[in-house]
Amino acid sequence: MVASSAAARGAILFAGGAWAAIDRGSTCEALSRSLRVAAKGKVQAIAGFTFSADRRHWGEFHARLRRMPRAGAAVLLHVDNQPFLLVSRANDAWSDGPLQEQAIIAALRSANGMSVESRDSSGARFVDPYSIDGAATAIDAAAAACAGKNQRP
């Protein structure tokens, strides 16, 4: 599912369950799309983790939301019942630093589900649910691929 669209933009390292690991050169990503498939012409919610060869991003969680959150609305990642407040701009959200990123990945390894939620411009709550099947392997494959890339001489 994720693998077919990602293949055109990077080398697939792993594809299994609902996740894929993709090598994009200077970055590697573990990605999934929401279980709520977008209608044609609408934004497809995706979430994942980025690892960069220069280590500036090492397990950074990121999500593209299917709706635009209203100004000032919180964007929360839920891994099972554990909430993580994300930083957001427009319909993109991401983790708030290395400690939170480590906590998200650790929680995901023993979780049963994951979702990202916020409120849209009308104040209605919306939730983008994700399967975590294959997440740990995709995260490990992306991290391992970028760990071996040292861009310094």
Side-chain angles (χ1 to χ4, degrees):
M1 120 175 96
V2 172
S4 61
S5 64
R9 298 186 311 262
I12 306 249
L13 302 167
F14 165 82
W19 287 74
I22 302 150
D23 184 341
R24 299 189 191 283
S26 62
T27 63
C28 301
E29 294 182 289
L31 294 171
S32 184
R33 74 175 184 183
S34 173
L35 294 170
R36 188 180 311 267
V37 178
K40 187 173 183 167
K42 299 291 184 179
V43 173
Q44 176 63 56
I46 59 169
F49 297 86
T50 299
F51 299 86
S52 62
D54 64 8
R55 305 262 177 160
R56 287 187 179 168
H57 304 281
W58 199 256
E60 179 182 64
F61 177 82
H62 55 88
R64 178 177 305 127
L65 288 70
R66 67 185 163 91
R67 289 191 201 161
M68 188 74 67
R70 75 176 176 199
V75 177
L76 293 171
L77 165 67
H78 290 274
V79 179
D80 281 344
N81 293 321
Q82 187 172 358
F84 297 93
L85 180 63
L86 301 175
V87 175
S88 65
R89 183 174 45 228
N91 68 329
D92 292 313
W94 54 94
S95 51
D96 190 24
L99 292 177
Q100 187 184 51
E101 291 150 7
Q102 291 170 12
I104 292 169
I105 290 171
L108 194 60
R109 290 188 184 283
S110 62
N112 293 310
M114 178 179 103
S115 64
V116 179
E117 74 171 81
S118 190
R119 295 203 176 265
D120 66 16
S121 60
S122 68
R125 178 177 173 254
F126 67 94
V127 178
D128 296 327
Y130 292 86
S131 170
I132 59 166
D133 182 30
T137 305
I139 291 165
D140 292 346
C146 267
K149 295 180 181 185
N150 188 349
Q151 293 186 338
R152 296 179 186 159

